[in-house]
Amino acid sequence: MANMKQQIKRYKNADKKHAVNVAFKSSLKTSIKKTINAIEAGNKEEAVALFNATVSKLDSSVSKGIHHKNYASRQKSKLQKKINALG
C-alpha cells in the first residue's frame, strides 16, 4: 500500500475510473448483443433502432478514451453489414 497521500488518492481515483469504465464496457457489449439478436431474429426495424443506439455508445466510448477508434469503426461496420444483408 502507498505511504504518501497523493498515491493513496491516485489509487482511489483509479479504482473509481476503472469501475465506471468496466460498467460502460459491459453496457456497450450488451447493446451490441441485443442488436445482433434482433438481426438474427430478422426484425429489421428493431435492429436499426438498436444499431443507432449502439453507434452512439461506441462513439461515446471513443470520445471518453475507453476504446480505440478502430475498434468502434470495426464494430459499426460489422453490424451495418449484417443489417444490410437482411434486405
Side-chain angles (χ1 to χ4, degrees):
M1 186 66 188
N3 294 326
M4 297 180 189
K5 270 188 166 180
Q6 185 61 31
Q7 288 175 326
I8 294 169
K9 185 176 178 181
R10 285 197 180 274
Y11 282 138
K12 287 180 182 178
N13 288 341
D15 287 342
K16 288 177 191 174
K17 287 181 184 179
H18 177 71
V20 169
N21 288 346
V22 167
F24 191 86
K25 283 182 181 181
S26 177
S27 71
L28 179 62
K29 288 177 189 176
T30 302
S31 180
I32 291 171
K33 286 177 186 176
K34 284 182 180 179
T35 306
I36 290 173
N37 288 340
I39 292 168
E40 289 174 351
N43 191 347
K44 187 167 185 173
E45 296 84 22
E46 184 184 354
V48 169
L50 289 170
F51 174 73
N52 291 335
T54 303
V55 166
S56 176
K57 282 188 177 186
L58 283 166
D59 292 338
S60 177
S61 73
V62 170
S63 66
K64 290 179 181 182
I66 296 173
H67 287 110
H68 193 272
K69 63 181 180 178
N70 290 352
Y71 170 81
S73 179
R74 191 173 61 245
Q75 294 298 321
K76 289 189 277 190
S77 175
K78 180 179 82 169
L79 292 173
Q80 187 66 57
K81 282 181 186 175
K82 289 183 178 185
I83 289 173
N84 289 342
L86 283 178

